[in-house]
């Protein structure tokens, strides 16, 4: 059964391409939030060897970007998981290749180096991520695209929610094929995120009472 699941996720399923929009504002240093975010990224990068951890792990052929933001979006880190070697026969689960392990290690390293400081320009960061995903989708339409936005506080820099909606509506129609999943954490504005989830075809995941790594596992099921 494990082999069948792994074969579906890594070989037969439509490959995933996603941008994780990560809040690195100063407030993330409080309440152990930075550590929870690092733990969640480690979780999808192979730190959990359980069955649910393996299902949530980055899959073969997957493309991932980490869009960092504070008072402005400032860095987009790109990762691409190589395709696995096809087994000669049978569905026995295959061990990760050295190349895949190297990519997963780089993702974990990037999480460990996150530096939390500054304000929160959530809507600017999501908007530039959507534009980037649209460009990637035009070049590589075979992938399944999504944006995952994480924040622990209210937007206090850059676009307002009204400006975001206006600019989003002006994007090409193809943007509707790219859902935005919003992760509610800390003092983030729940009403605003639910409003935007409906507007962008995604949904809100509440990480205030559930471990963040568990929320990331749920998000993976929607990707």
């Amino acid at each position: 059964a494990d082999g069948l699941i792994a074969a579906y996720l890594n070989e037969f399923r439509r490959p995933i391409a996603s941008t994780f929009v990560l809040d690195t504002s100063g407030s993330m240093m409080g309440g152990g939030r930075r550590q929870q975010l690092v733990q969640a990224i480690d979780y999808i990068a192979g730190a959990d060897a359980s069955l649910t951890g393996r299902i949530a792990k980055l899959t073969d052929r997957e493309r991932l970007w980490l869009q960092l933001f504070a008072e402005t979006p400032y860095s987009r880190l790109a990762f691409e998981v190589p395709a696995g070697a096809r087994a000669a026969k049978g569905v026995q689960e295959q061990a990760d290749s050295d190349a895949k392990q190297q990519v997963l290690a780089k993702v974990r390293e990037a999480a460990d180096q996150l530096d939390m400081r500054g304000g929160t320009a959530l809507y600017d960061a999501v908007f530039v991520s959507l534009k980037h995903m649209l460009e990637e989708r035009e070049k590589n339409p075979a992938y399944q695209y999504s944006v995952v936005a994480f924040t622990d506080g209210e937007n206090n820099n850059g676009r307002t929610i009204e400006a975001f909606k206006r600019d989003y509506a002006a994007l090409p129609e193809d943007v509707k094929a790219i859902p935005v999943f919003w992760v509610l954490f800390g003092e983030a504005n729940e009403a605003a995120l639910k409003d935007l989830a409906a507007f962008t075809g995604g949904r809100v995941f509440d990480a205030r009472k559930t471990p963040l790594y568990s929320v990331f596992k749920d998000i993976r099921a929607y990707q």
Side-chain angles (χ1 to χ4, degrees), residues 7 10 28 46 62 73 75 78 91 96 120 135 144 146 167 201-202 205:
N10 291 291
M28 285 292 294
E62 185 161 354
S75 182
V91 292
D96 290 338
T120 305
E135 294 169 0
Q144 181 169 305
S146 63
D167 294 343
F205 294 84

Side-chain angles (χ1 to χ4, degrees), residues 21 23 25 27 69-73 118-127 149-165 182 184-185 187-190 192-193 196:
V21 183
D23 187 345
S25 62
S27 61
F69 75 93
E71 64 271 6
T72 184
T120 305
L122 172 64
Y123 305 143
D124 280 1
V126 172
F127 187 76
F150 172 92
T151 185
D152 77 324
E154 292 200 27
N155 185 77
N156 55 27
N157 282 268
R159 284 177 177 82
T160 62
I161 188 170
E162 292 79 13
F164 174 85
K165 286 183 173 181
W182 306 81
L184 180 64
F185 192 60
E187 286 76 48
N189 189 322
E190 180 177 3
L193 296 190
L196 289 172

Side-chain angles (χ1 to χ4, degrees), residues 56-123:
K57 185 172 64 175
L58 297 173
T59 56
D60 294 352
R61 305 170 297 154
E62 185 161 354
R63 304 177 73 204
L64 171 70
W65 292 268
L66 301 181
Q67 173 64 66
L68 312 183
F69 75 93
E71 64 271 6
T72 184
Y74 63 89
S75 182
R76 183 187 300 129
L77 310 175
F79 307 91
E80 184 165 1
V81 182
R86 182 187 293 269
K89 60 181 179 179
V91 292
Q92 183 175 353
E93 188 172 7
Q94 303 297 306
D96 290 338
S97 66
D98 290 343
K100 181 174 182 177
Q101 291 183 41
Q102 290 174 12
V103 173
L104 297 179
K106 288 179 180 178
V107 174
R108 295 193 297 269
E109 181 181 1
D112 289 339
Q113 294 177 352
L114 291 177
D115 184 23
M116 310 308 193
R117 63 179 68 189
T120 305
L122 172 64
Y123 305 143

Side-chain angles (χ1 to χ4, degrees), residues 12-31:
F12 299 112
R13 180 187 178 181
R14 188 178 181 187
I16 299 170
S18 57
T19 297
F20 280 34
V21 183
L22 304 181
D23 187 345
T24 65
S25 62
S27 61
M28 285 292 294
M29 288 304 295

Side-chain angles (χ1 to χ4, degrees), residues 22-63:
L22 304 181
D23 187 345
T24 65
S25 62
S27 61
M28 285 292 294
M29 288 304 295
R33 296 171 187 171
R34 180 189 181 278
Q35 185 54 39
Q36 289 187 58
L37 180 58
V38 172
Q39 181 185 31
I41 297 173
D42 285 350
Y43 179 78
I44 65 167
D48 187 344
S50 69
L51 177 58
T52 56
R54 298 200 303 276
I55 292 174
K57 185 172 64 175
L58 297 173
T59 56
D60 294 352
R61 305 170 297 154
E62 185 161 354
R63 304 177 73 204

